[in-house]
C-alpha cells in the first residue's frame, strides 16, 4: 500500500455529525480542503467541505434531475453519460486544486452518499487509497434538525435519511469502511475515533 496517497471519505446524511467527525480527523492529521465552505448559523464551527466540489455536486445532481433533498435513487445509467464524464473532469481538477499532493486527506460532503459510484472512479484514476467512514445518527434527531434548518417535513426527512445511508452502504461494500454513530462520537470521542 502506498502511504503517500491516503484519503478518508466521510459519507453520511446531512445533520448526522459529519462536520464534527471531519474536524476531528483533521485534528488527527488529515488535510482539509484549501477553500472551505463558509460556516452557517446551523453549523457555526464550519462544515469542513470543499466549497467548489460541493457546488459541482449540486450542479451534477441538478443535471441528473435531482438535488440533495431528493429521495429518489439516481439513475445508474446517468453515471455513464457524457454529461457525467464532463463533471468528472471538473471534479478531478477541483480535487487537485483543493488537496494538491496531500499524502493524507479527508473529503466530506453529505452529497457524496449519492455520488459515490462516480467518486470511486475518480479516486481510482487519482490512485488514492481510500477508507470510508459512514457516519450515521438517530433518524429522529436528523429529522428534527432538518425540520428546524430546512423546513423539511418529517416523512421526507426519514426517507432522505434512508436514501443517503442505503446509497453509501451499497457503494462502499467492497472498500475498507467503518460505521460511526454520532452519539458514540459525542459520548466517548477517544474510544470512538
Amino acid at each position: 500500500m502506498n502511504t503517500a496517497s491516503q484519503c478518508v471519505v466521510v459519507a453520511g446524511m446531512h445533520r448526522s455529525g459529519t462536520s464534527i467527525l471531519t474536524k476531528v480527523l483533521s485534528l488527527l492529521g488529515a488535510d482539509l480542503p484549501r477553500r472551505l465552505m463558509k460556516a452557517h448559523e446551523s453549523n457555526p464551527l464550519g462544515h469542513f467541505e470543499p466549497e467548489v466540489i460541493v457546488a459541482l455536486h449540486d450542479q451534477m445532481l441538478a443535471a441528473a434531475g435531482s438535488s440533495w433533498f431528493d429521495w429518489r435513487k439516481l439513475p445508474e445509467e446517468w453515471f455513464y453519460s457524457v454529461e457525467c464524464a464532463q463533471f468528472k473532469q471538473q471534479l478531478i481538477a477541483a480535487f487537485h486544486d483543493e488537496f494538491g499532493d496531500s499524502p493524507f486527506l479527508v473529503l466530506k460532503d453529505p452529497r457524496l452518499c449519492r455520488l459515490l459510484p462516480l467518486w470511486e472512479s475518480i479516486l481510482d484514476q487519482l490512485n488514492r487509497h481510500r477508507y470510508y467512514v459512514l457516519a450515521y445518527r438517530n433518524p429522529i434527531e436528523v429529522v428534527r434538525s432538518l425540520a428546524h434548518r430546512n423546513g423539511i417535513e418529517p416523512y421526507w426527512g426519514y426517507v432522505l435519511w434512508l436514501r443517503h445511508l442505503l446509497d453509501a452502504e451499497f457503494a462502499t461494500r467492497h472498500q475498507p469502511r467503518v460505521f460511526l454513530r454520532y452519539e458514540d462520537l459525542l459520548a466517548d470521542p477517544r474510544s470512538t475515533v
Side-chain angles (χ1 to χ4, degrees), residues 20-90:
I20 191 169
L21 172 59
T22 302
K23 179 60 177 174
V24 167
L25 291 169
S26 77
L27 292 172
L28 293 172
D31 292 327
L32 291 169
R34 291 182 176 134
R35 291 167 296 193
L36 295 172
M37 247 176 75
K38 293 187 182 357
H40 184 270
E41 64 187 34
S42 66
N43 246 10
L45 298 178
H47 300 273
F48 308 104
E49 298 172 16
E51 187 173 40
V52 173
I53 290 175
V54 170
L56 284 169
H57 285 166
D58 280 335
Q59 292 170 29
M60 288 179 64
L61 290 169
S66 188
S67 67
W68 76 262
F69 51 87
D70 185 353
W71 62 271
R72 297 169 299 166
K73 185 166 178 53
L74 288 175
E76 191 172 328
E77 62 273 7
W78 189 81
F79 289 106
Y80 302 100
S81 68
V82 171
E83 193 169 26
C84 185
Q86 293 168 344
F87 278 114
K88 178 180 178 179
Q89 294 311 309
Q90 293 176 58

